[in-house]
Amino acid sequence: MTMPRTLSLLVLAACASGTSDPTATAPGADAPVDSADAIDSGLGPVDTSVPTDPASCAPALPERRSYDAAAAARGQSLFVDGTLGSPMVPDLALRNLWAVWGTGPILADDAYWEAFRDRYGLVQAPWPNDDYPLGLHRSGAGTATVNCLLCHADQVAGEVVIGVGNSRLDLQALWDDLVALKAVGESLGLPPFELPYELAETTAAAGSVDGVGLGMQMSLNYGPPGVDIETHFGAQQAAPWWGMRFKDHVYSDGTGDVANHRSMASTLLAFGTPWSELRDLDPTLLDLQAMMGRTEPPPWPFDPPEPSLVSEGLVIYQRTCAGCHGDLCDPDVGFPDEVVDTRSVGTDPLRADRWTQAEASWANISWFGEAGEMRDTDGYQANPLVGVWATAPYLHNGSVPDLASLLDSSTRPEVWKRTGADAADYDAKTVGWRYEGVDAPTDRSSVEARRVIDTTQPGMSNAGHTYGDGLRDTERAALLQFLATL
């Protein structure tokens, strides 16, 4: 089938990371920084051999792989008019979750599904989907299930984006409400249902979910007893699909082989697809991989950046960012696909520390590992920055709201909450989400509490990646203007 025009226009953006000495003392915001001082001042490695004349460079990253268009169209059809995943809950359960919200009945469909999307951080589908938000769909015989778009679609600056990590998803709230509804469902006349597992300690904040831990937890049901592997790795934001064609490894720590089409199936396992059915989906997983690999980043939707600042920003990028995030002017260099040691970059080490060779070996001896080996990296992958503007909040755990504060660690808020997901909630100047400082909740069990990003929580530190600290304010502004164009 042909990809719908609505989807073609909405398929979007990428991610950020780096390497530096987190103990380095940056000069003042207006202090000049020359090439000789750049590393000591907190900037990344400086390449003085790159062209200083931006006219000599049409910035672009070379692609490492391509994906078949016909296979991508088949993968897309699974979301638009097909099914993916096994039946999980009755339709009526999803339609009647209001019964545990404490709001009273919400009978009008439009009002109910709007409240549903708002509560769980989900997105209205840009194609007919039986009123369900993206990520949920009917699976026949009065049942419903989930698919990849639960975690890989979001509303960015007011537009639906397919392929970007869902930075608002509250999976814990959805699961807790289903558990609560299950307990009272019989009194409401709902059919009985079972959930495949208990979901706990997987959501540090809305959008920051331990998806890897979820898959590893479920994998223990299919192996011998007594296996000693970690099943909690800290919460992460899902990386955007369109970065796949530029690199060889995936996940925030670069532990996965981008060619391994089976790795995504662990999520289906976690959401109730039996092992016997999962193996039969192998050809389908190849189609899904092609669909993901052919997504495109979005164009910047706000006023065009100032051309002179973009040109200046390109020079700054090439000198201070290209070594980790990819050379945009030399196609023979391109993206280095490097993993940075967590102790040098200074970012939260929880994920890197907990994924060890034991977890990699456990994955590699399975059906999942047959299609591409996992590895222990003890660090984080510095990602290509294609479409980076649409992937806020930043760092692997979503702890930094905008690129401006990513490039100036002294301005990062400790406890904060986004104002929303509409165009007015996106700040084009800081390239990220508008936010407000709030008090840290003492109890994180409620929907409202999980909308607060508390960087003092385990796995949620906003420290590290201090490369921009040594930039002048004018240099940082130029770099932001350039990054908005990628």
Side-chain angles (χ1 to χ4, degrees):
M1 63 167 284
T2 301
M3 185 177 291
R5 175 173 172 78
T6 51
L7 179 62
S8 300
L9 293 174
L10 295 174
V11 167
L12 283 119
C15 190
S17 213
T19 27
S20 94
D21 177 3
T23 65
T25 302
D30 293 320
V33 179
D34 60 30
S35 298
D37 297 331
I39 294 178
D40 289 337
S41 69
L43 294 176
V46 172
D47 184 355
T48 57
S49 67
V50 298
T52 56
D53 178 9
S56 66
C57 169
L61 276 182
E63 297 182 4
R64 292 179 179 233
R65 57 189 38 78
S66 60
Y67 295 90
D68 181 71
R74 291 193 300 270
Q76 171 62 27
S77 69
L78 291 167
F79 298 120
V80 177
D81 53 17
T83 58
L84 182 66
S86 299
M88 191 177 73
V89 295
D91 284 332
L92 286 173
L94 291 182
R95 180 59 184 85
N96 287 277
L97 276 170
W98 60 264
V100 297
W101 292 350
T103 60
I106 302 178
L107 301 180
D109 280 346
D110 288 349
Y112 175 74
W113 291 112
E114 182 179 359
F116 188 104
R117 294 191 300 270
D118 178 69
R119 183 175 179 86
Y120 304 121
L122 299 177
V123 180
Q124 186 168 12
W127 54 73
N129 195 38
D130 298 312
D131 293 326
Y132 286 160
L134 285 176
L136 295 168
H137 65 98
R138 287 195 167 86
S139 51
T143 60
T145 191
V146 303
N147 63 36
C148 313
L149 298 183
L150 194 74
C151 299
H152 296 278
D154 199 3
Q155 183 170 308
V156 180
E159 296 292 337
V160 176
V161 178
I162 307 297
V164 73
N166 187 340
S167 62
R168 300 178 300 130
L169 171 66
D170 192 344
L171 184 60
Q172 191 70 56
L174 178 59
W175 215 256
D176 289 349
D177 286 353
L178 285 170
V179 170
L181 185 66
K182 182 178 179 292
V184 299
E186 185 176 352
S187 64
L188 299 172
L190 300 179
F193 61 94
E194 296 295 329
L195 296 170
Y197 53 83
E198 296 222 355
L199 186 69
E201 299 179 26
T202 60
T203 304
S208 296
V209 179
D210 188 0
V212 172
L214 193 55
M216 295 295 280
Q217 180 182 336
M218 286 303 297
S219 74
L220 292 176
N221 296 334
Y222 299 94
V227 174
D228 185 17
I229 60 168
E230 181 61 68
T231 58
H232 291 86
F233 300 93
Q236 298 116 55
Q237 300 268 355
W241 285 344
W242 49 80
M244 289 170 51
R245 58 182 176 271
F246 301 105
K247 54 188 182 178
D248 292 328
H249 296 93
V250 290
Y251 306 129
S252 58
D253 48 7
T255 54
D257 184 340
V258 74
N260 186 347
H261 63 287
R262 291 178 181 171
S263 61
M264 69 187 83
S266 62
T267 304
L268 294 175
L269 188 69
F271 284 110
T273 299
W275 177 246
S276 57
E277 293 181 20
L278 192 62
R279 287 174 294 186
D280 293 337
L281 289 174
D282 205 51
T284 297
L285 296 175
L286 285 167
D287 291 343
L288 286 174
Q289 183 188 56
M291 180 260 181
M292 295 172 184
R294 288 182 68 88
T295 57
E296 293 288 345
W300 177 251
F302 304 103
D303 291 340
E306 171 58 42
S308 63
L309 290 179
V310 171
S311 297
E312 181 184 349
L314 169 58
V315 173
I316 295 169
Y317 172 92
Q318 284 291 99
R319 287 181 171 172
T320 64
C321 311
C324 292
H325 294 288
D327 191 314
L328 301 176
C329 294
D330 187 345
D332 293 329
V333 178
F335 179 61
D337 200 53
E338 292 183 352
V339 170
V340 180
D341 183 89
T342 183
R343 279 160 289 281
S344 65
V345 72
T347 48
D348 193 297
L350 186 63
R351 165 67 184 265
D353 288 348
R354 290 193 175 182
W355 181 274
T356 69
Q357 189 56 48
E359 287 71 36
S361 297
W362 172 247
N364 289 338
I365 62 174
S366 70
W367 174 82
F368 300 98
E370 291 174 4
E373 286 194 350
M374 301 286 286
R375 58 181 186 162
D376 171 23
T377 64
D378 197 29
Y380 295 109
Q381 184 177 51
N383 280 296
L385 301 186
V386 177
V388 66
W389 75 267
T391 65
Y394 299 103
L395 294 184
H396 72 279
N397 54 12
S399 60
V400 179
D402 52 43
L403 282 181
S405 53
L406 185 69
L407 295 172
D408 183 357
S409 62
S410 68
T411 64
R412 297 174 192 172
E414 182 175 85
V415 185
W416 57 278
K417 182 174 73 171
R418 281 169 50 169
T419 61
D422 293 332
D425 297 303
Y426 193 95
D427 191 330
K429 182 178 180 181
T430 62
V431 191
W433 292 109
R434 299 185 189 277
Y435 64 90
E436 55 187 359
V438 294
D439 294 330
T442 56
D443 179 1
R444 303 195 62 81
S445 63
S446 72
V447 171
E448 282 303 318
R450 282 192 297 272
R451 291 178 179 174
V452 173
I453 306 294
D454 181 356
T455 65
T456 69
Q457 293 294 305
M460 291 299 292
S461 170
N462 64 2
H465 194 283
T466 57
Y467 299 132
D469 285 3
L471 291 172
R472 300 171 182 169
D473 289 345
T474 53
E475 292 172 323
R476 190 177 297 111
L479 182 56
L480 288 172
Q481 293 270 296
F482 171 71
L483 292 174
T485 69
L486 288 180

